[in-house]
Amino acid sequence: MAANINRLLVVDHDRARVATIVDVAERLGFDVAETAPGGELAKLLDAFNPTVIVTALRLPDTDAAELLRLLAARDSRANVALLGDEGDRVLESAWELGIARGLSMLGTLPASPEAPEIDALLRAARKADREIDTAELARALAAGELVPYFQPQVRRVAPDGWDVDGVEALVRWLHPRYGLVMPEEFVSVAERGGLMRELSELVIAGSLRALAGWQREGLGLKCAINLPPGLAADAEFPARLEARLAEERIDPLWLTVEVTEAATLQAPTVVVDVLTRLRSVGVTVALDDFGTGYSSVTRLHRMPFDEMKIDKSLVTHLPRSAQARTMIGSLIELGHNLGLEVCAEGVESAGALDLLAELGCDRCQGYFVSRALPAGQIPSFTSRWSSNQAPSQATRAVL
């Protein structure tokens, strides 16, 4: 049992629902245990030691709150997901209880979840049982196995309408043995091994080629690329980027460069110069992961940003938390008062998208819109979105 690092415990009495979750989890490589609550639950928690727990809200003779208290008492490190529909006060209360007790709250699934929704949630929590070292990553870079994927972004065009207007480039590793490897598994290896600049330059070059290809097809999308600290403090980077844009015949207005607050702290004077020069070229500059640092407001004021992106750690709580709604509403107002566009990351439900529209957010991205896609799938995704402004949540989860 301990050999598998991915262990799912399902706490539910609905046999059909349990069967659906178990089927998806086993296909993803999880060991799975299931139980209805009762005297055996505590023993199962200790014996099975789950890494992920999916629990119903309403259970015979108890509820999810009692399970959360039990997990907190055992100092559980498991990721916890709750089954329940948005707007359910029990769901909101249980979520807040989990956060207050220091548990790792993974997300929620609707009371009648579809397989794609379960798949997306469990993939986000799955850990890789493999070791990747610097030599393997260097080999992959040389072999062209690391490529940009693109997560669509939507812009609010009406009180509750959204159009696809851009993408964010996110690196993926097409590994010959492991298949699709996500960046959480190799970016830290690149940082430790001194490969981050090479990795970033590769993603930028691939993104510009994709952007040029879409424009030749008549698809007007902006593309955002992430700038690591090393490039954000590289005084020669703006000139290199401008030359690449000219080579691909791309107007700089179609490109956005995103930097995190951590990148601005390393060499602030140089970073201000780099970002200012990028803006003078015509590139849009965005502050990424806003809301995770203590001096984010100061950075917004002092740095030459055009856009701020609200971090997904805040957006995740939006449908369940009045405090999150208040905070995000205040951040959107702050951004607008500073003349910035505001983009929310981590939108995972129709409820979150609707609330962001009410709060006046300009742009959004997240699994509810789409996961990251290969460049060749972006035109068809954009066409499908345009032809169906309100696809179902289950449909969106697999786009």
Side-chain angles (χ1 to χ4, degrees):
M1 208 180 288
N4 192 344
I5 63 170
N6 292 297
R7 300 178 299 278
L8 170 67
L9 174 62
V10 185
V11 185
D12 196 1
H13 63 286
D14 186 318
R15 302 310 306 163
R17 188 162 59 190
V18 169
T20 301
I21 296 171
V22 169
D23 179 64
V24 173
E26 289 181 340
R27 282 192 282 107
L28 290 174
F30 281 81
D31 280 348
V32 183
E34 55 181 278
T35 182
E40 296 301 312
L41 177 57
K43 293 180 181 178
L44 184 58
L45 285 172
D46 293 336
F48 188 60
N49 190 23
T51 57
V52 181
I53 298 172
V54 175
T55 179
L57 287 176
R58 296 170 177 84
L59 302 161
D61 303 322
T62 186
D63 56 29
E66 287 301 319
L67 172 60
L68 296 175
R69 292 187 184 97
L70 182 62
L71 293 173
R74 279 170 162 69
D75 195 27
S76 173
R77 298 297 93 198
N79 291 302
V80 182
L82 304 175
L83 288 158
D85 292 320
E86 290 171 8
D88 188 327
R89 292 187 178 182
V90 176
L91 175 66
E92 182 169 336
S93 297
W95 183 272
E96 295 294 343
L97 175 64
I99 295 295
R101 291 184 174 269
L103 298 175
S104 177
M105 303 304 291
L106 173 64
T108 63
L109 287 169
S112 300
E114 301 288 341
E117 298 167 306
I118 301 167
D119 182 272
L121 181 132
L122 293 180
R123 282 182 186 274
R126 186 174 57 178
K127 299 177 182 178
D129 188 12
R130 54 192 176 229
E131 291 292 332
I132 293 171
D133 59 20
T134 302
E136 173 71 357
L137 182 57
R139 180 205 62 76
L141 284 165
E145 294 173 8
L146 288 112
V147 299
Y149 270 41
F150 301 91
Q151 185 170 45
Q153 300 171 325
V154 293
R155 174 180 293 279
R156 185 168 51 88
V157 293
D160 57 354
W162 301 85
D163 278 352
V164 179
D165 81 321
V167 296
E168 179 182 357
L170 301 168
V171 66
R172 299 291 187 263
W173 185 348
L174 306 181
H175 198 286
R177 287 179 53 206
Y178 303 144
L180 186 67
V181 179
M182 304 299 279
E184 306 88 77
E185 296 187 49
F186 59 83
V187 167
S188 60
V189 177
E191 291 171 341
R192 292 193 303 269
L195 297 173
M196 199 64 204
R197 179 185 292 263
E198 183 180 352
L199 175 60
S200 299
E201 295 278 10
L202 181 149
V203 172
I204 291 169
S207 299
L208 294 183
R209 287 194 298 270
L211 185 56
W214 297 329
Q215 293 192 348
R216 285 192 294 271
E217 296 182 39
L219 191 62
L221 296 177
K222 294 194 72 168
C223 181
I225 57 175
N226 293 284
L227 205 61
L231 287 181
D234 180 354
E236 303 303 318
F237 175 73
R240 294 200 306 274
L241 183 61
E242 186 174 15
R244 283 180 173 171
L245 287 165
E247 183 180 344
E248 296 287 353
R249 298 182 180 180
I250 298 172
D251 189 319
L253 293 174
W254 293 101
L255 186 68
T256 297
V257 168
E258 299 183 2
V259 297
T260 63
E261 184 178 4
T264 70
L265 293 172
Q266 293 206 2
T269 301
V270 179
V271 173
V272 169
D273 178 61
V274 168
L275 299 184
T276 301
R277 290 168 61 196
L278 288 171
R279 283 194 68 184
S280 69
V281 168
V283 173
T284 300
V285 179
L287 177 62
D288 199 11
D289 298 341
F290 185 82
T292 60
Y294 291 105
S295 56
S296 294
V297 175
T298 301
R299 298 291 152 194
L300 278 178
H301 173 65
R302 293 181 179 176
M303 295 281 184
F305 293 115
D306 303 287
E307 180 182 43
M308 74 174 188
K309 300 187 72 176
I310 300 177
D311 188 66
K312 62 184 179 182
S313 62
L314 293 174
V315 178
T316 297
H317 302 307
L318 184 58
R320 295 172 291 273
S321 169
Q323 292 90 336
R325 289 194 288 273
T326 299
M327 181 176 291
I328 291 172
S330 298
L331 295 181
I332 291 170
E333 183 179 5
L334 171 65
H336 289 167
N337 287 341
L338 291 172
L340 306 176
E341 285 214 324
V342 180
C343 179
E345 300 181 288
V347 177
E348 297 179 354
S349 68
L353 192 66
D354 291 343
L355 284 168
L356 287 164
E358 291 177 18
L359 293 170
C361 191
D362 303 300
R363 307 175 72 234
C364 294
Q365 67 185 87
Y367 279 171
F368 183 70
V369 176
S370 173
R371 66 189 60 184
L373 304 170
Q377 294 182 21
I378 292 296
S380 59
F381 170 84
T382 303
S383 177
R384 290 198 305 274
W385 182 280
S386 298
S387 64
N388 186 0
Q389 281 287 303
S392 70
Q393 184 170 344
T395 300
R396 280 179 171 158
V398 297
L399 288 179

